[in-house]
Amino acid sequence: MRYKSGYDREGDYWHFNVDRECGLLDFLFGCVKESRSKIKLTLKGRGVKVDGKTVTQFDHPLSPGMNVSVSKTKRNQTAFKSRFLQIVYEDRWLVVVEKNVGVLSMAAGHSSLNVKSILDNYFHQSKQKCRAHVVHRLDRDTSGLMVYAKDIDTEQAFEHNWHDIVYDRRYVAVVSGEIVEEGGTVANWLKDSKAYVTYSSPVDNGGKYAVTHYHVLARTTDHSLVEFKLETGRKNQIRVHSADMGHPVCGDVKYGNGDDPLHRLCLHAYMLCFVHPVTRERMEFETPIPATFRRLFK
């Protein structure tokens, strides 16, 4: 089905006018005379704009009157392949990846399976004169989006201006039990014990103040699917705050209650939005909620 009401092939982009409500990928399939695989690569490679703003989300909603621009040449040329992570975006300064469960953010002890070493090997194989610099971390058993710098200047820009650069980070989790309220906020102080277990306190305990906002997406009598939005980014913040709510993240052997329906830590970093530290472009990345999470709520 063709959704366009008109187009312009001038310049480096095709331009299409939207005349009905639809999802972005369906719109592209109906308008662009390219194979579906090429269209998907163009979308992943940040070659699609909606009303002048770069969009990579395949189900981004469109409404009549919007303008969609599609690059004639821009493709994701990454030859990277790994069963442990996927490259979502890459340029000369940084790389955004989606890591799988069971992979460390960086080397720890004798473990060799980590995102940094995988990226360093990829950079070497592709003859890029750079290394991956860690700017934030996800727990080994948390899946989802991460950004790595490719040079020390970009890493330092992230480190010293993290809260100014990163303007939205969201996670989705399956938690134990039915959360009755639609959403809310958990705020307290978090501190590590001598056994490296993070614990919370309603008053200042010498730790760091942590704020987590949550919104329930779906629920059953046994579980709730919850979106968590971080206002601060403390160690184990979501896992501890979820347990504080009386609804720990499922599969959490450290802070959970033994509820383990999917045999994994049910926590996924699905949204990451930041201002590019060099180009100043707003970069917005989103991955689908894991299908295994959703199946619990059908």
Side-chain angles (χ1 to χ4, degrees):
M1 182 181 294
R2 297 178 68 84
Y3 294 103
K4 64 184 176 64
S5 58
Y7 63 93
D8 173 15
R9 293 176 66 104
E10 295 299 318
D12 294 327
Y13 284 82
W14 288 294
H15 300 284
F16 303 93
N17 298 318
V18 181
D19 65 355
R20 67 189 71 190
E21 293 186 355
C22 55
L24 178 57
L25 190 59
D26 287 339
F27 177 84
L28 295 175
F29 286 160
C31 293
V32 181
K33 295 181 179 180
E34 296 275 11
S35 69
R36 290 190 169 215
S37 60
K38 286 186 178 180
I39 291 172
K40 290 178 179 178
L41 285 173
T42 302
L43 185 62
K44 286 185 177 181
R46 301 183 62 80
V48 177
K49 297 181 179 181
V50 177
D51 288 341
K53 179 181 177 181
T54 301
V55 175
T56 59
Q57 185 181 342
F58 73 94
D59 58 351
H60 182 86
L62 301 179
S63 301
M66 288 182 170
N67 180 267
V68 175
S69 304
V70 182
S71 172
K72 299 176 183 179
T73 59
K74 197 167 187 179
R75 301 284 188 272
N76 187 339
Q77 299 294 341
T78 301
F80 175 85
K81 289 184 179 181
S82 171
R83 63 190 180 95
F84 302 112
L85 59 99
Q86 301 80 45
I87 290 182
V88 177
Y89 172 78
E90 181 181 5
D91 61 28
R92 60 180 292 189
W93 301 284
L94 56 84
V95 58
V96 178
V97 304
E98 180 182 358
K99 91 171 185 72
N100 298 341
V101 173
V103 186
L104 289 167
S105 301
M106 61 182 295
H110 299 291
S111 175
S112 60
L113 180 58
N114 64 87
V115 176
K116 174 176 164 48
S117 64
I118 293 171
L119 288 176
D120 284 342
N121 183 63
Y122 158 65
F123 294 150
H124 175 73
Q125 294 294 328
S126 57
K127 295 180 169 42
Q128 298 188 55
K129 296 180 179 179
C130 63
R131 297 185 68 82
H133 297 263
V134 180
V135 296
H136 68 121
R137 295 170 176 80
L138 291 180
D139 295 333
R140 181 204 299 264
D141 294 320
T142 300
S143 57
L145 293 167
M146 301 184 68
V147 58
Y148 285 75
K150 296 172 74 172
D151 61 75
I152 192 64
D153 290 338
T154 304
E155 184 272 331
Q156 289 292 299
F158 272 113
E159 180 178 341
H160 296 301
N161 304 284
W162 178 261
H163 295 293
D164 295 324
I165 289 176
V166 180
Y167 58 89
D168 199 353
R169 274 201 298 163
R170 301 189 195 190
Y171 294 67
V172 64
V174 177
V175 305
S176 184
E178 180 181 6
I179 300 178
V180 178
E181 60 269 22
E182 293 302 312
T185 299
V186 180
N188 52 34
W189 280 262
L190 300 182
K191 186 177 182 179
D192 276 2
S193 69
K194 292 182 179 180
Y196 300 105
V197 175
T198 304
Y199 65 95
S200 64
S201 171
V203 296
D204 190 346
N205 61 355
K208 295 181 178 180
Y209 191 62
V211 181
T212 305
H213 307 286
Y214 68 93
H215 174 69
V216 178
L217 303 175
R219 56 171 66 84
T220 67
T221 55
D222 296 319
H223 301 105
S224 300
L225 183 66
V226 184
E227 177 191 77
F228 290 96
K229 183 177 181 180
L230 296 180
E231 187 170 315
T232 58
R234 312 305 185 196
K235 176 186 173 185
N236 294 332
Q237 179 174 322
I238 290 175
R239 295 165 63 184
V240 175
H241 278 177
S242 185
D244 286 347
M245 293 162 55
H247 299 279
V249 176
C250 290
D252 192 339
V253 298
K254 198 171 186 179
Y255 304 101
N257 60 4
D259 190 358
D260 187 17
L262 299 179
H263 308 295
R264 61 156 288 184
L265 178 69
C266 295
L267 183 61
H268 178 77
Y270 87 102
M271 185 183 294
L272 176 63
C273 305
F274 58 89
V275 177
H276 196 294
V278 179
T279 68
R280 309 309 300 170
E281 181 183 1
R282 289 170 71 90
M283 314 289 285
E284 299 185 349
F285 302 96
E286 183 174 342
T287 63
I289 294 173
T292 52
F293 288 17
R294 287 194 176 279
R295 280 199 287 270
L296 289 173
F297 299 91
K298 286 187 177 181

